[in-house]
């Protein structure tokens, strides 16, 4: 082996890490469901979670805050005097060296020396005017001449750096040959863009141009369109830079630009380039400006780069804001985000985008008949399972022990077994199931010693005595006080937990969810979960009990179970014509009609429990009397214990005082 087959490892750079763990949707689903139950639409709820983030996950708002802070830092750190100050330093150095040379030159004619000294003494205060006035000056000092020539070189590199990133550094110490090459590049670029503007360019034209001049384009464009995009963004930023300057600064730079490389032709070429780019990309911001207030001076090229950064930050802020139609987190430019805030910010945005995508593709959100997003049945099951586990923990803690396990769908074991049928929730008879599999394997000519594979026909389940099935009504108060007092979401969480328990562990039972506010209404779990709070007066328990009675009559062979959750006395009842009458304080007729309907529920033998929320004395007296009237119970749980209380009462009604096992039914 030796040293020749060593492997080298580095950071994966081919996109999202293929070995990264999948995103955890549990927290996102819980947060979205909580907001949906509070009245948000599923889409709005998902957006809110993505904005807030999770316990260990940054959200969009935090990323947007970092974007705004970086923007503020750029404006607060820099000013636009960099090039002017650098030119002034070079000019002052040239004039000082020239004066020294004039003082040392004893051979010079006194008249000529006096004229030169007067010319230097009376230079205009404007840096640009002084530079232009000295354009034809015959320098006596070679050092002064070099300083002055460096002004022309600096200006040439700066104006090119405004349009082509990195040109200032690339042309430092450039030869005349290099300048000629740049001039040729500008001519070829102008020709290419002119053909593109007229629609007659070809792929070969672009490839030939890049083969000759590609070193000047660090963006590495792959087409003419990408080349135009890069150039237009830079050129537009250069325009915004000039417009961000004071009128005096702008005038100085315009006058100085004539001295760039000592060639007015350069500015003419760049002016033509800007005109072409503006025609090709009119949508770029060619007229904006910024207010720089810092102490760190920038040259034209660096300033243009900062303006590009500011424009990129503004685009990122819009992408992260997600306030436009059809917005998705896939819209966020991760490369730009990484450039501006670092790789960690890009990872955060990518993770949020994966959560958004997984919530849709994973089946947790679906389109309803009206085209709007809804929580899917899969999401409801997952949420219900989680809420049921929470209720189980509260029940277990309240009981102080772990009760005997009883599977929800079975009664008492008889000692025999039977073949499994679809929908069976009875426990398997493991011994007989394995025995069946071994016998079948031998009959098929197989060797059980090499393993046994179970088939559906092998499965037998424990035979149990028939247990009474229940027709269960959960009556929940949806008057506005439930929302105003913070009981709206706990009420929905309770309904979800009970619905999941009945639909997964007690499938023989029938559950009806009935809401009662000004009117009562039967709802499925999806409708109840998405029900918004309505500011409407009325607690029409009479109507709710009427619907409960009808449900019990439809299931005469089942044990009726009534669970009522309310935070107020009845304040409305139904008239024969179907209209609801509201009265506060409660009208005697409302109480009378409610009690009459309660008596009907009592006559069918319903096991009834009233869950009183809040400390209203009138409500307490009312529910106590109602419960005594039909031999029911009253439970007054804290709001955060409502789910456990309702589930516990449902199980108590089932097992009639026998122990029930939360560790089984809560799975």
């Amino acid at each position: 082996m030796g040293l020749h087959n060593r492997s080298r490892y580095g950071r994966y750079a081919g996109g999202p890490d293929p070995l990264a763990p999948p995103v955890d949707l549990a927290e996102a689903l819980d947060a979205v469901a909580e907001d949906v139950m509070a009245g948000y639409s599923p889409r709005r709820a998902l957006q809110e979670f993505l904005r807030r983030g999770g316990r260990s996950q940054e959200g969009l708002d935090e990323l947007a805050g970092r974007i705004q802070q970086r923007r503020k830092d750029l404006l607060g750190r820099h000013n636009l005097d960099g090039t002017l100050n650098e030119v002034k330093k070079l000019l002052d150095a040239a004039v000082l060296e020239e004066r020294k040379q004039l003082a040392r030159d004893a051979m010079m004619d006194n008249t000529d020396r006096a004229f030169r000294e007067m010319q230097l003494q009376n230079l205009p205060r404007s840096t640009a005017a002084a530079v232009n006035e000295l354009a034809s000056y015959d320098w006596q000092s070679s050092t002064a001449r070099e300083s002055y020539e460096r002004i022309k070189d600096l200006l040439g590199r700066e104006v090119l750096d405004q349009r082509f990133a990195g040109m200032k550094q690339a042309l430092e110490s450039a030869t005349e040959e290099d300048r000629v090459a740049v001039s040729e590049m500008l001519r070829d670029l102008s020709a290419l863009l002119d053909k593109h503007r007229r629609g007659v360019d070809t792929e070969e034209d672009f490839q030939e141009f890049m083969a000759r001049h590609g070193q000047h384009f660090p963006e590495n464009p792959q087409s003419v369109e990408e080349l135009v995009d890069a150039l237009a963004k830079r050129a537009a930023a250069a325009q915004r830079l000039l417009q961000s300057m004071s009128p005096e600064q702008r005038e100085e730079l315009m006058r100085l630009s004539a001295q760039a490389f000592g060639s007015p032709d350069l500015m003419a070429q760049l002016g033509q380039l800007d005109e072409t780019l503006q025609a090709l990309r009119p949508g770029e911001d060619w007229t904006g400006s910024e207010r720089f207030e810092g102490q760190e001076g920038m040259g034209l090229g660096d300033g243009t780069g900062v303006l590009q950064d500011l424009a990129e930050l503004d685009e990122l802020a819009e992408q992260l804001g997600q306030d436009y139609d059809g917005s998705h987190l896939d819209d966020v430019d991760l490369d730009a985000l990484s450039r501006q805030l670092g790789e960690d910010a890009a990872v955060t945005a990518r993770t949020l985008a994966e959560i958004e995508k997984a919530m849709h593709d994973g089946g947790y959100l679906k389109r309803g008949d009206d085209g709007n997003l809804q929580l899917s049945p899969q999401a409801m099951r997952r949420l219900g399972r989680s809420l049921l586990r929470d209720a189980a923990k509260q029940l277990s803690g309240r009981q102080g022990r772990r009760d005997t396990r009883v599977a929800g769908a079975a009664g008492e074991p008889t000692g025999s077994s039977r073949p499994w049928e679809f929908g069976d929730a009875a426990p398997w008879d493991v011994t007989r199931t394995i025995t069946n599999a071994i016998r079948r394997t031998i009959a098929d000519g197989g060797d059980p010693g090499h393993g046994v594979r179970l088939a559906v026909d092998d499965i037998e389940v424990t035979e149990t005595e028939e247990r009474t099935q229940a027709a269960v009504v959960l009556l929940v108060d949806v008057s506005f006080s439930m929302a105003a007092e913070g009981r709206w979401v706990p009420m929905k969480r309770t309904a979800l937990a009970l619905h999941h328990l009945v639909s997964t562990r007690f499938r023989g039972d029938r559950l009806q969810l009935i809401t009662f506010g000004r009117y009562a209404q039967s709802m499925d779990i999806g409708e109840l979960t998405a029900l918004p709070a309505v500011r409407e007066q009325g607690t029409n328990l009479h109507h709710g009990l009427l619907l409960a009675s009808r449900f019990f009559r439809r299931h005469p062979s089942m044990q009726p179970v009534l669970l009522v959750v309310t935070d107020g006395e009845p304040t409305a009842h139904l008239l024969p014509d179907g209209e609801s009458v509201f009265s506060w304080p409660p009208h005697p007729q409302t109480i009378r009609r409610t009690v009459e309907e309660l008596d009907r529920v009592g006559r069918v033998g319903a096991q009834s429990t009233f869950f009183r929320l809040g400390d209203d004395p009138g409500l307490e007296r009312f529910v106590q009397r109602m419960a005594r009237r039909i031999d029911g119970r009253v439970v007054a749980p804290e709001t955060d214990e409502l789910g456990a209380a309702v589930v516990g009462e449902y199980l108590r009604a089932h097992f009639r005082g026998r122990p029930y096992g939360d560790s089984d039914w809560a799975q």
Side-chain angles (χ1 to χ4, degrees), residues 444-567:
D444 293 342
D447 181 1
H450 289 87
V452 175
R453 185 182 297 273
L454 290 179
V456 172
D457 292 340
D458 300 329
I459 302 172
E460 292 196 28
V461 295
T462 302
E463 186 72 74
T464 60
E465 297 175 351
E466 275 300 317
R467 134 176 107 66
T468 302
Q469 294 177 322
V472 185
V473 171
L474 177 63
L475 266 172
V476 290
D477 187 345
V478 294
S479 60
F480 189 73
S481 61
M482 289 284 287
E485 297 296 331
R487 298 162 186 150
W488 193 256
V489 173
M491 173 270 291
K492 293 184 177 182
R493 292 168 68 91
T494 298
L496 267 167
L498 182 62
H499 177 270
H500 184 76
L501 175 60
V502 173
S503 61
T504 60
R505 306 300 294 175
F506 296 90
R507 293 177 181 144
D509 289 355
R510 294 294 177 264
L511 173 64
Q512 181 71 66
L513 302 173
I514 299 176
T515 62
F516 62 98
R518 188 67 171 266
Y519 291 89
Q521 181 180 357
S522 298
M523 290 188 174
D524 63 36
I525 190 61
E527 292 173 320
L528 177 57
T529 303
L531 183 69
V534 178
R535 189 179 293 274
E536 185 177 64
Q537 293 178 314
T539 304
N540 197 337
L541 180 57
H542 164 246
H543 193 186
L545 291 170
L546 179 65
L547 296 181
S549 295
R550 291 175 183 172
F551 179 74
F552 292 145
R553 288 197 297 271
R554 289 200 301 270
H555 301 88
S557 63
M558 294 183 172
Q559 169 63 47
V561 176
L562 176 67
L563 307 170
V564 182
V565 176
T566 185
D567 72 345

Side-chain angles (χ1 to χ4, degrees), residues 333-381:
D333 187 336
L334 298 181
D335 291 335
L337 194 61
S338 180
R339 280 195 298 273
Q340 297 299 337
L341 298 183
E343 180 61 26
D344 66 308
V347 170
T348 293
R350 184 185 297 117
T351 302
L352 292 173
E354 289 173 358
I355 290 174
E356 180 186 50
K357 187 173 188 297
M359 286 290 288
H360 289 274
D361 296 351
Y364 294 117
L365 296 176
K366 68 180 183 68
R367 292 284 176 190
D369 295 337
D370 57 0
N372 294 321
L373 285 177
Q374 299 175 355
L375 289 177
S376 69
Q378 180 182 353
M380 302 291 284
R381 286 193 297 272

Side-chain angles (χ1 to χ4, degrees), residues 252-269:
E252 287 279 281
L253 282 171
M254 290 297 96
R255 296 175 66 181
L256 282 171
S257 297
Q259 296 297 327
F261 288 147
S263 170
D265 292 342
L266 174 62
M267 294 308 298
Q269 287 178 295

Side-chain angles (χ1 to χ4, degrees), residues 594-614:
T594 302
V595 170
E596 289 172 356
E597 202 57 51
L598 179 70
D599 289 343
R600 290 191 180 92
V601 171
R603 284 196 290 271
V604 300
Q607 297 183 51
S608 304
T609 305
F610 295 85
F611 299 89
R612 174 176 59 81
L613 301 179

